[in-house]
Amino acid sequence: MDIVAQMRKFMEPKSVALIGVSRSGQALDGMSFDILGNLLKCGYQGRIYPINPHASEIMGVKAYHDVREVSEDIDLAVINLPRELVPQVVKKCIGKSVEAIIIVTQGFADANDGEGKQLQRELDELIKGNKVRIVGPNTFGIANAYTNFNSSYTKLEMSKIPIGLICQTGAFFAGFPYSRLIGKGIDLGNSCDVDFADGLEYFEQDDDIKVIVLHIEGMRDSRKFFKKASRVAFKKPIVALKTGRNERAAQAAQSHTGSLVGKDEIWDVALKQSGIIRVSDVEELDDMVKAFCTLPLMRGRRIGVTTWSGGFGIMGVDACGRSNLQLAKLSTATIEELNVVSPSWQNVGNPADIWPTIIVTKQPLLQTGEAAIRNMLHDPQVDAVLCIFSAVTHGLHSELCQCVGQIIKDFPFKPLVFHFYGPFSDKAKAELEERGKTLGFLSPDRAIRALGHLADYSEFRMKF
Amino acid sequence: MDIVAQMRKFMEPKSVALIGVSRSGQALDGMSFDILGNLLKCGYQGRIYPINPHASEIMGVKAYHDVREVSEDIDLAVINLPRELVPQVVKKCIGKSVEAIIIVTQGFADANDGEGKQLQRELDELIKGNKVRIVGPNTFGIANAYTNFNSSYTKLEMSKIPIGLICQTGAFFAGFPYSRLIGKGIDLGNSCDVDFADGLEYFEQDDDIKVIVLHIEGMRDSRKFFKKASRVAFKKPIVALKTGRNERAAQAAQSHTGSLVGKDEIWDVALKQSGIIRVSDVEELDDMVKAFCTLPLMRGRRIGVTTWSGGFGIMGVDACGRSNLQLAKLSTATIEELNVVSPSWQNVGNPADIWPTIIVTKQPLLQTGEAAIRNMLHDPQVDAVLCIFSAVTHGLHSELCQCVGQIIKDFPFKPLVFHFYGPFSDKAKAELEERGKTLGFLSPDRAIRALGHLADYSEFRMKF
């Protein structure tokens, strides 16, 4: 069976056995820790078989004492039992021809004791000799908003966003930075069998997914991963948060998912060579997911900055230096256009500081701002534009946002991004993003950082 | 007259002449560009003298044709006239014994033409031969929430926050990162006379001000600045955003405020040696202002991390490496305490991943979380604690926030900061910060970065 078909059993199961469901929905201090309850609430349409040796019905669903008592085929089994019981239950599942198993339980390669390692070896033996594939142990498993399937034991918000997540922490299921929503997610946990390469292969062919996000602590077979990743990255952007950068963090990763993290510098180079965009924290991850979902690719690294604040414009230029972007050398025609209405003593350039034009020559605020954006975007020397705009009064940014829809239609192949400052900046950002195809960022620096990554990925795509 | 007395004329004027006020309040596209209107609205209690050769009353205030017609003393004159008129009006002000002048007008050292430079030279001559001090040109001037005084021509939100700002962009008056509020602000603009050192001297003795923020593009007399800064930094934290890091940014700074930016590496070292905390962007600036306003200083660089998510804990450890912080080696007693309720296979350490304790041994969520924080804070090997906590359900974080007030009272000398993940993370952060004396950060990385700066500043203070 090919890997995509194997992964479908996890991602789109037609039937699922839940092994280790308590007779009543478990509840711990008001938090739901109940896989069956969560699955029923999220609207899953497949068949569900709760397995419990002491129950014949749980939460209105017929229960079975043993997985082998189920007469129909089972696509996926989710095991959430004390660790010492897990290998024998995996054996039973194999006996029932189950080919996909999620092991939720902790305390295998992630444990500090010998028993955990021994139990892991038993699992390894079972995987080797059989067709079965295992996700985990130590995992929330799978979430899929498109099939309303979800094996996690805490509540999470799913939504049909075009983002495929492969991670090693369940916290990303409940707390994924992108609006705290999850589209499709695979929590690999310890990743004893199903790994990043398998997940990538599944998302590669998945038309629902436009951007792939990886949270990597470590992996055993990085050669296999990078081979697959550089192929997939050519089709879809891959954003990676690789953690475990220093020695102490590596030790922590060993305790968390039993991962060997590897040298950070090597990861840096290898991710870059594979066309994967490496981010440093959850906010940068969020920025890049939004950028790849929203903005067109860039034809080069030349940035135009138009700004209402000379001081903030300089911050944008500083950031270009950090992201290996060039401040565009504007063409003569653009410079002439920008200077038509500027005061005689100012040579407007890049960044185009339009404040003196407004203050000294009393040009209309909005038209001056819009014209500067259009002049920059029209210039063949410019590959993307950052506009820094004031949101100090109630309405002006709204008028700008209304123009932006048409500007983006007129220049669909160049990214246009914004930073708003002032008391209404959050409101302005929200209004702007309603237009689609553009983004507001919380600092000029974050806007430029996102454009830098976009340029990196665009270059990778153009190599082929 | 000493510098503080001179600066008081700017910051706390008893009377102000506004020179260049149009007969009606100017309004440009719905944005107010009206210094008189703004000043009346913000509740200033001093005397106001609008100066306009064609008006005898503006907005209900008696107006004068010439500054010399005012019979009372004038503490401060604000000049907002076309640049070619400025030197002769400065002369008139000097004739009237005005000792503090704000020049709002642009087009002096910031201009690209010879006339601007010539006008600047004329100003320089006037400053040299007289007692007068000038803020600007090219400035919003002064804002002071404590005296309801404000010379800026656009609207801004003032509030009695304990932050003294000295900047070179008016955008920081309207869009200061800290909640978009301004406590006391000096926009130096081109800084032809009054400079960062003067502003520092004023804020040094100002009991309203706990934290000083600098936005620096460049300065002429950096020796004078650093001498004063290292003295002031010993009394109050100084946070600096120094922009103009690369050559193109330096050119932009030359056009913006006529500033010579200097070598960035030298700034880096000099700021550090003077005990000034250098930040890279507006978000880091915001984080540090909040940190210095809220958290106690640190006795060392040893961090304890307690986390509900092993994966996020590793991010915190990665960040420690970047900020030159050490992950604390916990004392035996702490480790024993942490392990009392953990599963047999887990050696809880630092970061203390308490998820297995909750899931495997079914310990109460809240008590386990609280105990871990208290154990860490109690440990003499720990100088500050980052707690990473889930905000995935409606109520749990609220219960935690309720505990935090008492925890902070019990451990007042160690910073305790948080990162929340999950759908309720914004709400959790807001609830937390209501307790005071603690902060939530938007990533583990930003929390650790803030602690790193706090440790740097604490070390500087302890040197003396």
Side-chain angles (χ1 to χ4, degrees), chain A residues 445-457:
Chain A
D445 309 72
R446 278 172 71 170
I448 291 292
R449 183 176 65 182
L451 292 179
H453 285 317
L454 204 59
D456 290 342
Y457 180 65

mmCIF file with all atom_site columns, all heavy atoms in Angstrom, chain A residues 445-457:
data_model
loop_
_atom_site.group_PDB
_atom_site.id
_atom_site.type_symbol
_atom_site.label_atom_id
_atom_site.label_alt_id
_atom_site.label_comp_id
_atom_site.label_asym_id
_atom_site.label_entity_id
_atom_site.label_seq_id
_atom_site.pdbx_PDB_ins_code
_atom_site.Cartn_x
_atom_site.Cartn_y
_atom_site.Cartn_z
_atom_site.occupancy
_atom_site.B_iso_or_equiv
_atom_site.pdbx_formal_charge
_atom_site.auth_seq_id
_atom_site.auth_comp_id
_atom_site.auth_asym_id
_atom_site.auth_atom_id
_atom_site.pdbx_PDB_model_num
ATOM 1   N N   . ASP A 1 445 ? 9.275  45.949 11.014 1.00 0.00 ? 445 ASP A N   1
ATOM 2   C CA  . ASP A 1 445 ? 10.255 44.869 11.019 1.00 0.00 ? 445 ASP A CA  1
ATOM 3   C C   . ASP A 1 445 ? 9.618  43.526 10.674 1.00 0.00 ? 445 ASP A C   1
ATOM 4   O O   . ASP A 1 445 ? 10.190 42.733 9.926  1.00 0.00 ? 445 ASP A O   1
ATOM 5   C CB  . ASP A 1 445 ? 10.924 44.802 12.400 1.00 0.00 ? 445 ASP A CB  1
ATOM 6   C CG  . ASP A 1 445 ? 11.444 46.168 12.807 1.00 0.00 ? 445 ASP A CG  1
ATOM 7   O OD1 . ASP A 1 445 ? 10.625 47.055 13.127 1.00 0.00 ? 445 ASP A OD1 1
ATOM 8   O OD2 . ASP A 1 445 ? 12.658 46.355 12.776 1.00 0.00 ? 445 ASP A OD2 1
ATOM 9   N N   . ARG A 1 446 ? 8.454  43.263 11.245 1.00 0.00 ? 446 ARG A N   1
ATOM 10  C CA  . ARG A 1 446 ? 7.799  41.980 10.943 1.00 0.00 ? 446 ARG A CA  1
ATOM 11  C C   . ARG A 1 446 ? 7.304  41.947 9.506  1.00 0.00 ? 446 ARG A C   1
ATOM 12  O O   . ARG A 1 446 ? 7.317  40.899 8.853  1.00 0.00 ? 446 ARG A O   1
ATOM 13  C CB  . ARG A 1 446 ? 6.663  41.705 11.931 1.00 0.00 ? 446 ARG A CB  1
ATOM 14  C CG  . ARG A 1 446 ? 7.220  41.122 13.228 1.00 0.00 ? 446 ARG A CG  1
ATOM 15  C CD  . ARG A 1 446 ? 6.200  41.011 14.320 1.00 0.00 ? 446 ARG A CD  1
ATOM 16  N NE  . ARG A 1 446 ? 5.207  39.977 14.096 1.00 0.00 ? 446 ARG A NE  1
ATOM 17  C CZ  . ARG A 1 446 ? 4.340  39.586 15.029 1.00 0.00 ? 446 ARG A CZ  1
ATOM 18  N NH1 . ARG A 1 446 ? 4.376  40.145 16.233 1.00 0.00 ? 446 ARG A NH1 1
ATOM 19  N NH2 . ARG A 1 446 ? 3.452  38.656 14.774 1.00 0.00 ? 446 ARG A NH2 1
ATOM 20  N N   . ALA A 1 447 ? 6.862  43.085 8.994  1.00 0.00 ? 447 ALA A N   1
ATOM 21  C CA  . ALA A 1 447 ? 6.425  43.141 7.592  1.00 0.00 ? 447 ALA A CA  1
ATOM 22  C C   . ALA A 1 447 ? 7.594  42.796 6.671  1.00 0.00 ? 447 ALA A C   1
ATOM 23  O O   . ALA A 1 447 ? 7.467  41.966 5.764  1.00 0.00 ? 447 ALA A O   1
ATOM 24  C CB  . ALA A 1 447 ? 5.889  44.534 7.272  1.00 0.00 ? 447 ALA A CB  1
ATOM 25  N N   . ILE A 1 448 ? 8.740  43.414 6.927  1.00 0.00 ? 448 ILE A N   1
ATOM 26  C CA  . ILE A 1 448 ? 9.910  43.190 6.073  1.00 0.00 ? 448 ILE A CA  1
ATOM 27  C C   . ILE A 1 448 ? 10.440 41.761 6.239  1.00 0.00 ? 448 ILE A C   1
ATOM 28  O O   . ILE A 1 448 ? 10.832 41.115 5.270  1.00 0.00 ? 448 ILE A O   1
ATOM 29  C CB  . ILE A 1 448 ? 11.004 44.238 6.395  1.00 0.00 ? 448 ILE A CB  1
ATOM 30  C CG1 . ILE A 1 448 ? 10.532 45.632 5.935  1.00 0.00 ? 448 ILE A CG1 1
ATOM 31  C CG2 . ILE A 1 448 ? 12.330 43.858 5.766  1.00 0.00 ? 448 ILE A CG2 1
ATOM 32  C CD1 . ILE A 1 448 ? 10.421 45.816 4.434  1.00 0.00 ? 448 ILE A CD1 1
ATOM 33  N N   . ARG A 1 449 ? 10.419 41.250 7.471  1.00 0.00 ? 449 ARG A N   1
ATOM 34  C CA  . ARG A 1 449 ? 10.870 39.867 7.688  1.00 0.00 ? 449 ARG A CA  1
ATOM 35  C C   . ARG A 1 449 ? 10.040 38.891 6.860  1.00 0.00 ? 449 ARG A C   1
ATOM 36  O O   . ARG A 1 449 ? 10.574 37.962 6.236  1.00 0.00 ? 449 ARG A O   1
ATOM 37  C CB  . ARG A 1 449 ? 10.779 39.533 9.184  1.00 0.00 ? 449 ARG A CB  1
ATOM 38  C CG  . ARG A 1 449 ? 11.291 38.152 9.537  1.00 0.00 ? 449 ARG A CG  1
ATOM 39  C CD  . ARG A 1 449 ? 11.261 37.911 11.045 1.00 0.00 ? 449 ARG A CD  1
ATOM 40  N NE  . ARG A 1 449 ? 9.901  37.911 11.575 1.00 0.00 ? 449 ARG A NE  1
ATOM 41  C CZ  . ARG A 1 449 ? 9.590  37.756 12.870 1.00 0.00 ? 449 ARG A CZ  1
ATOM 42  N NH1 . ARG A 1 449 ? 10.552 37.598 13.754 1.00 0.00 ? 449 ARG A NH1 1
ATOM 43  N NH2 . ARG A 1 449 ? 8.331  37.762 13.275 1.00 0.00 ? 449 ARG A NH2 1
ATOM 44  N N   . ALA A 1 450 ? 8.727  39.130 6.828  1.00 0.00 ? 450 ALA A N   1
ATOM 45  C CA  . ALA A 1 450 ? 7.849  38.256 6.046  1.00 0.00 ? 450 ALA A CA  1
ATOM 46  C C   . ALA A 1 450 ? 8.173  38.363 4.554  1.00 0.00 ? 450 ALA A C   1
ATOM 47  O O   . ALA A 1 450 ? 8.228  37.354 3.845  1.00 0.00 ? 450 ALA A O   1
ATOM 48  C CB  . ALA A 1 450 ? 6.387  38.608 6.312  1.00 0.00 ? 450 ALA A CB  1
ATOM 49  N N   . LEU A 1 451 ? 8.412  39.577 4.067  1.00 0.00 ? 451 LEU A N   1
ATOM 50  C CA  . LEU A 1 451 ? 8.771  39.746 2.654  1.00 0.00 ? 451 LEU A CA  1
ATOM 51  C C   . LEU A 1 451 ? 10.106 39.063 2.358  1.00 0.00 ? 451 LEU A C   1
ATOM 52  O O   . LEU A 1 451 ? 10.297 38.494 1.279  1.00 0.00 ? 451 LEU A O   1
ATOM 53  C CB  . LEU A 1 451 ? 8.830  41.233 2.280  1.00 0.00 ? 451 LEU A CB  1
ATOM 54  C CG  . LEU A 1 451 ? 7.495  41.990 2.283  1.00 0.00 ? 451 LEU A CG  1
ATOM 55  C CD1 . LEU A 1 451 ? 7.730  43.458 1.915  1.00 0.00 ? 451 LEU A CD1 1
ATOM 56  C CD2 . LEU A 1 451 ? 6.474  41.373 1.324  1.00 0.00 ? 451 LEU A CD2 1
ATOM 57  N N   . GLY A 1 452 ? 11.028 39.104 3.307  1.00 0.00 ? 452 GLY A N   1
ATOM 58  C CA  . GLY A 1 452 ? 12.320 38.433 3.124  1.00 0.00 ? 452 GLY A CA  1
ATOM 59  C C   . GLY A 1 452 ? 12.141 36.925 2.935  1.00 0.00 ? 452 GLY A C   1
ATOM 60  O O   . GLY A 1 452 ? 12.710 36.323 2.017  1.00 0.00 ? 452 GLY A O   1
ATOM 61  N N   . HIS A 1 453 ? 11.324 36.314 3.782  1.00 0.00 ? 453 HIS A N   1
ATOM 62  C CA  . HIS A 1 453 ? 11.058 34.875 3.636  1.00 0.00 ? 453 HIS A CA  1
ATOM 63  C C   . HIS A 1 453 ? 10.334 34.586 2.324  1.00 0.00 ? 453 HIS A C   1
ATOM 64  O O   . HIS A 1 453 ? 10.583 33.572 1.666  1.00 0.00 ? 453 HIS A O   1
ATOM 65  C CB  . HIS A 1 453 ? 10.182 34.389 4.793  1.00 0.00 ? 453 HIS A CB  1
ATOM 66  C CG  . HIS A 1 453 ? 10.908 34.256 6.100  1.00 0.00 ? 453 HIS A CG  1
ATOM 67  N ND1 . HIS A 1 453 ? 12.151 33.704 6.217  1.00 0.00 ? 453 HIS A ND1 1
ATOM 68  C CD2 . HIS A 1 453 ? 10.527 34.584 7.371  1.00 0.00 ? 453 HIS A CD2 1
ATOM 69  C CE1 . HIS A 1 453 ? 12.521 33.701 7.493  1.00 0.00 ? 453 HIS A CE1 1
ATOM 70  N NE2 . HIS A 1 453 ? 11.559 34.236 8.206  1.00 0.00 ? 453 HIS A NE2 1
ATOM 71  N N   . LEU A 1 454 ? 9.416  35.469 1.972  1.00 0.00 ? 454 LEU A N   1
ATOM 72  C CA  . LEU A 1 454 ? 8.671  35.302 0.718  1.00 0.00 ? 454 LEU A CA  1
ATOM 73  C C   . LEU A 1 454 ? 9.643  35.346 -0.464 1.00 0.00 ? 454 LEU A C   1
ATOM 74  O O   . LEU A 1 454 ? 9.522  34.548 -1.411 1.00 0.00 ? 454 LEU A O   1
ATOM 75  C CB  . LEU A 1 454 ? 7.645  36.436 0.617  1.00 0.00 ? 454 LEU A CB  1
ATOM 76  C CG  . LEU A 1 454 ? 6.405  36.241 -0.240 1.00 0.00 ? 454 LEU A CG  1
ATOM 77  C CD1 . LEU A 1 454 ? 5.580  35.056 0.212  1.00 0.00 ? 454 LEU A CD1 1
ATOM 78  C CD2 . LEU A 1 454 ? 5.535  37.511 -0.188 1.00 0.00 ? 454 LEU A CD2 1
ATOM 79  N N   . ALA A 1 455 ? 10.610 36.248 -0.400 1.00 0.00 ? 455 ALA A N   1
ATOM 80  C CA  . ALA A 1 455 ? 11.615 36.347 -1.466 1.00 0.00 ? 455 ALA A CA  1
ATOM 81  C C   . ALA A 1 455 ? 12.484 35.088 -1.499 1.00 0.00 ? 455 ALA A C   1
ATOM 82  O O   . ALA A 1 455 ? 12.793 34.559 -2.572 1.00 0.00 ? 455 ALA A O   1
ATOM 83  C CB  . ALA A 1 455 ? 12.475 37.590 -1.256 1.00 0.00 ? 455 ALA A CB  1
ATOM 84  N N   . ASP A 1 456 ? 12.856 34.572 -0.319 1.00 0.00 ? 456 ASP A N   1
ATOM 85  C CA  . ASP A 1 456 ? 13.659 33.341 -0.259 1.00 0.00 ? 456 ASP A CA  1
ATOM 86  C C   . ASP A 1 456 ? 12.916 32.201 -0.947 1.00 0.00 ? 456 ASP A C   1
ATOM 87  O O   . ASP A 1 456 ? 13.467 31.465 -1.759 1.00 0.00 ? 456 ASP A O   1
ATOM 88  C CB  . ASP A 1 456 ? 13.924 32.936 1.204  1.00 0.00 ? 456 ASP A CB  1
ATOM 89  C CG  . ASP A 1 456 ? 14.878 33.887 1.913  1.00 0.00 ? 456 ASP A CG  1
ATOM 90  O OD1 . ASP A 1 456 ? 15.593 34.646 1.226  1.00 0.00 ? 456 ASP A OD1 1
ATOM 91  O OD2 . ASP A 1 456 ? 14.893 33.875 3.153  1.00 0.00 ? 456 ASP A OD2 1
ATOM 92  N N   . TYR A 1 457 ? 11.643 32.057 -0.583 1.00 0.00 ? 457 TYR A N   1
ATOM 93  C CA  . TYR A 1 457 ? 10.870 30.950 -1.153 1.00 0.00 ? 457 TYR A CA  1
ATOM 94  C C   . TYR A 1 457 ? 10.657 31.153 -2.655 1.00 0.00 ? 457 TYR A C   1
ATOM 95  O O   . TYR A 1 457 ? 10.745 30.199 -3.433 1.00 0.00 ? 457 TYR A O   1
ATOM 96  C CB  . TYR A 1 457 ? 9.521  30.806 -0.429 1.00 0.00 ? 457 TYR A CB  1
ATOM 97  C CG  . TYR A 1 457 ? 8.701  29.668 -0.993 1.00 0.00 ? 457 TYR A CG  1
ATOM 98  C CD1 . TYR A 1 457 ? 9.145  28.352 -0.864 1.00 0.00 ? 457 TYR A CD1 1
ATOM 99  C CD2 . TYR A 1 457 ? 7.516  29.911 -1.680 1.00 0.00 ? 457 TYR A CD2 1
ATOM 100 C CE1 . TYR A 1 457 ? 8.422  27.301 -1.400 1.00 0.00 ? 457 TYR A CE1 1
ATOM 101 C CE2 . TYR A 1 457 ? 6.787  28.864 -2.213 1.00 0.00 ? 457 TYR A CE2 1
ATOM 102 C CZ  . TYR A 1 457 ? 7.237  27.559 -2.074 1.00 0.00 ? 457 TYR A CZ  1
ATOM 103 O OH  . TYR A 1 457 ? 6.522  26.534 -2.614 1.00 0.00 ? 457 TYR A OH  1
#
